[in-house]
Amino acid sequence: MPLHVPPAPAPALRSVLAALGSPTAVREARTPALRSAEGPLSPELPLPVYVLDRIGPGGLAPATRLAAWRFLIRSAEQPVAAADTMLTPDGWAFSHFFEGPYIASTELALRQAETVTTHYQPRLLSIPELYMLALWLHGDAEADAAGGALAPADLLVPLAPAPPGIAAHRPHRVVDLLRVMTLRIPPGPGPLLGSPA
């Protein structure tokens, strides 16, 4: 398999397992699919979630930061939700469960990426200014998942729903997609609040 999924920090995984084992956390989640799932639930495919804070002039020198670890929550044969963890002063802790189109889209993009011959480390990249989420295929498959910047050899695969004019599930070289995104981001003081789930 050409994808080298990095191991999640142990406290992040433990916090998700604890939340899945808590009837209160599952019942209070705004995820009908999670609440109605039958059988055991398991967290799988941990992916680091980075946020693209800014795109430099001409699409150069983008700044990214690690914001979360995301786990797909599987029931039987399909993912029904996802769980995010966040870094706190005490380490990685469970943040929330959620569902929506990005879950199936993430799994589809990962399956597509497994068919390529180049080895990549899968990550997720949130672009708040465009309300966009992409699968980030990092060219250094052995890199520390806690750090790193976008590299020219990396690929970005926009997840569905993608912004108008950007095709979902089509791999783009970083420089090419940054150029397109730069044209769509309005000039202003900084990123918009909020990010895709």
Side-chain angles (χ1 to χ4, degrees):
M1 179 169 91
L3 294 184
H4 293 266
V5 178
L13 177 57
R14 282 195 302 268
S15 72
V16 171
L17 288 170
L20 284 172
S22 165
T24 303
V26 172
R27 187 173 51 251
E28 291 179 358
R30 295 181 181 153
T31 53
L34 183 65
R35 290 194 308 266
S36 64
E38 295 183 15
L41 299 168
S42 61
E44 298 179 358
L45 289 170
L47 295 173
V49 181
Y50 284 79
V51 174
L52 184 66
D53 283 327
R54 65 172 164 73
I55 299 174
L60 301 174
T64 60
R65 63 181 166 83
L66 179 62
W69 276 86
R70 179 166 296 167
F71 298 79
L72 292 182
I73 306 300
R74 188 170 297 278
S75 171
E77 295 299 316
Q78 64 183 6
V80 294
D84 270 4
T85 61
M86 62 183 178
L87 191 58
T88 70
D90 295 324
W92 289 99
F94 172 75
S95 173
H96 62 282
F97 292 116
F98 64 94
E99 60 184 57
Y102 285 127
I103 294 166
S105 187
T106 298
E107 187 173 58
L108 174 60
L110 287 166
R111 279 198 314 265
Q112 291 172 331
E114 287 176 344
T115 65
V116 301
T117 56
T118 306
H119 293 271
Y120 289 106
Q121 181 186 92
R123 301 171 172 194
L124 292 172
L125 182 66
S126 172
I127 302 105
E129 290 174 296
L130 293 176
Y131 298 99
M132 178 177 162
L133 189 65
L135 177 64
W136 171 7
L137 298 174
H138 190 48
D140 183 355
E142 302 300 325
D144 180 358
L150 288 166
D154 294 352
L155 295 177
L156 294 175
V157 182
L159 300 181
I166 297 177
H169 295 284
R170 181 173 168 252
H172 301 268
R173 288 181 339 138
V174 165
V175 68
D176 296 334
L177 190 57
L178 286 177
R179 191 176 302 120
V180 171
M181 290 190 306
T182 300
L183 297 174
R184 287 179 169 49
I185 295 174
L192 301 172
L193 296 177
S195 62

